[in-house]
Amino acid sequence: MKRLGMGLVGPGFIAAHHIDAVRRLGDVDVVAIAGSSVESAKRKAAEYKVGRSYGDYRELIADPDIHVVHNTTPNHMHFPVTMAAIEAGKHVVSDKPLAMNSDESRRLRDAAIAAKVAHAVTFNYRGNPLVQHARTMVADGSIGNLTFIQGFYLQDWLTDPNVYSWRSDPAKGGGTSALGDIGSHWCDLAEHVSGKKIASVLADITTVVKTRYATEGSSEAFSKTTSGDRKAIPMTSEDLATVLLRFEDGTKGTFSAAQTLPGHKNDLQFEISGLKHSLKWRQEEQNELWVGSHEGPNCIVGKDPALVAGEALRYTHLPAGHQESWADAFMNIVSDAYTWVRAGAGIQDKPSPLPTFDDGYRSNCIVDAILASHAAGNTWQKVQYFPPSF
Ligand code: SOE
């Protein structure tokens, strides 16, 4: 089988996981890294043991040995890098959010479809075996007609006002913080597992930490500075949000997203109730799925190849009792992206759990509607989403 070449643009925090996932596939070479300067690219290439480095992403995209471009740049660079890769006929794996707003992400989706390139966005929690098991239980009617979808995605790393990076700068991170960074994952999971689309939203959003402190140039993700010549930076984006949801068929829902709640590290949970059962999955205990019953006992389904169904089976790599984790789920999604590339990237050949640019665009549309709801005085707003026209 022909080996594929991967090139990564933007070697920050998440880059190591893209590289690790690709290396685990065994038939893909990590060819090059592009950074914001020749020096940073060289340094990161040496750290990750990658042969080539470029100070400009356009040089990486032009490298004939690279078939798939992974875009792990800060959010404001998602659009130009991904568009340039599509125009060069390269397949793309992009970090979420796909772009800074729904106009940009719609253009990326349409361009990727027209260019017939594989186009994945890393809503990586879909790669968890028990997320896929829950999706199968919903789809085959095991939990009955859906009534309510609820949950949260809570973190605490922005509780400290000394933490500041590009993520808190609207010019680089976009106009939203908790919603775009992690609320987007929750909404994607809710739609993916339920098979239903969010039609309208009513939101209440808050900025808990109103001022952050940073020295000039401290923009690496998760940077913290407590000394030196620091300046006070007023925060404009939300770090706490509560949202009511109406799905397209009338199913109701609610979720919260926050990055300023002490003790919540990467606390993503969703619960989906039908008339027969409820299912609850929590990312921090990702090898268990709670099944609630009105008649009969509640139980826990463990991540066990003998118990899971549907796509969950091929996402389960170890026997029962052997814990799998965040990086394994991430790898499952990256693996599906390369399966799609090898199949020729036709939409009919896409592995069903793999999130595409259309999902990335939907996510931007949902976040836009949530921000519009709050701005309009906490009123219901429709999600304005346009399906692909070809
Ligand atoms: C930071 O909030 C972050 O790394 C997100 O950007 C990721 O998407 C999420 O999976 C974990 O937390």
Side-chain angles (χ1 to χ4, degrees):
M1 192 188 291
K2 179 183 165 219
R3 293 186 70 79
L4 291 171
M6 176 267 212
L8 179 136
V9 185
F13 146 77
I14 200 69
H17 302 284
H18 282 254
I19 290 171
D20 175 51
V22 161
R23 285 192 168 137
R24 283 174 67 182
L25 302 180
D27 55 3
V28 182
D29 297 315
V30 180
V31 175
I33 286 183
S36 50
S37 66
V38 176
E39 295 70 41
S40 72
K42 258 197 189 139
R43 195 168 12 93
K44 289 292 183 177
E47 188 182 328
Y48 298 132
K49 310 206 172 19
V50 174
R52 295 175 213 170
S53 54
Y54 296 108
D56 185 322
Y57 69 84
R58 284 165 283 240
E59 293 173 56
L60 180 142
I61 289 171
D63 186 327
D65 295 332
I66 291 174
H67 309 101
V68 186
V69 174
H70 287 233
N71 185 354
T72 60
T73 55
N75 298 350
H76 71 298
M77 292 301 292
H78 284 188
F79 181 83
V81 171
T82 296
M83 193 53 106
I86 294 169
E87 282 168 357
K90 306 279 163 123
H91 307 286
V92 185
V93 176
S94 169
D95 260 344
K96 56 105 264 272
L98 178 57
M100 294 279 270
N101 55 52
S102 54
D103 290 336
E104 280 185 2
S105 58
R106 185 177 171 191
R107 283 168 62 197
L108 291 177
R109 177 203 63 184
D110 292 349
I113 293 174
K116 297 188 169 41
V117 294
H119 47 96
V121 61
T122 50
F123 283 124
N124 45 289
Y125 298 105
R126 293 188 185 193
N128 284 86
L130 289 173
V131 166
Q132 291 304 322
H133 184 68
R135 179 171 170 241
T136 300
M137 286 184 75
V138 173
D140 70 14
S142 301
I143 73 165
N145 287 343
L146 300 191
T147 53
F148 194 54
I149 302 171
Q150 57 171 312
F152 46 79
Y153 196 156
L154 312 176
Q155 296 181 334
D156 71 356
W157 64 278
L158 278 173
T159 312
D160 185 342
N162 300 311
V163 171
Y164 180 81
S165 69
W166 61 262
R167 287 176 188 272
S168 298
D169 175 355
K172 293 185 176 154
T176 158
S177 186
L179 287 164
D181 188 29
I182 55 177
S184 55
H185 277 297
W186 190 92
C187 293
D188 179 72
L189 272 191
E191 291 199 341
H192 183 62
V193 174
S194 69
K196 297 180 190 306
K197 302 294 181 205
I198 297 169
S200 44
V201 299
L202 189 154
D204 185 21
I205 66 181
T206 313
T207 305
V208 174
V209 176
K210 293 188 170 44
T211 307
R212 296 193 176 276
Y213 300 90
T215 51
E216 205 63 57
S218 55
S219 94
E220 276 256 325
F222 312 113
S223 305
K224 176 170 170 169
T225 41
T226 48
S227 59
D229 188 11
R230 301 187 312 148
K231 56 178 183 182
I233 306 166
M235 288 296 104
T236 51
S237 54
E238 88 301 336
D239 49 29
L240 172 67
T242 44
V243 188
L244 294 179
L245 305 169
R246 285 182 191 146
F247 288 78
E248 57 195 346
D249 67 339
T251 303
K252 299 292 166 64
T254 177
F255 80 97
S256 306
Q259 294 164 312
T260 46
L261 298 188
H264 293 275
K265 300 304 172 191
N266 200 33
D267 199 359
L268 164 61
Q269 174 172 302
F270 74 81
E271 181 169 342
I272 183 161
S273 295
L275 286 167
K276 295 188 204 156
H277 296 289
S278 297
L279 302 175
K280 181 164 62 189
W281 181 80
R282 187 164 175 242
Q283 194 282 140
E284 291 190 359
E285 289 157 5
Q286 59 192 265
N287 290 272
E288 297 186 344
L289 178 72
W290 177 85
V291 182
S293 305
H294 172 55
E295 294 175 347
N298 299 339
C299 69
I300 303 284
V301 177
K303 179 200 62 68
D304 176 346
L307 297 179
V308 298
E311 306 286 349
L313 200 49
R314 65 188 180 86
Y315 280 180
T316 304
H317 305 290
L318 293 167
H322 295 66
Q323 303 299 300
E324 289 179 65
S325 70
W326 194 97
D328 301 291
F330 193 89
M331 192 274 294
N332 286 332
I333 291 302
V334 170
S335 171
D336 276 0
Y338 281 81
T339 300
W340 195 22
V341 169
R342 288 198 182 278
I347 208 73
Q348 68 289 346
D349 296 319
K350 184 189 83 68
S352 84
L354 180 67
T356 66
F357 283 12
D358 190 45
D359 299 300
Y361 164 56
R362 267 203 70 74
S363 175
N364 276 121
C365 296
I366 294 167
V367 171
D368 285 358
I370 293 173
L371 296 178
S373 164
H374 184 77
N378 316 100
T379 57
W380 283 100
Q381 295 288 323
K382 285 202 164 66
V383 174
Q384 304 284 347
Y385 159 85
F386 300 94
S389 52
F390 38 85

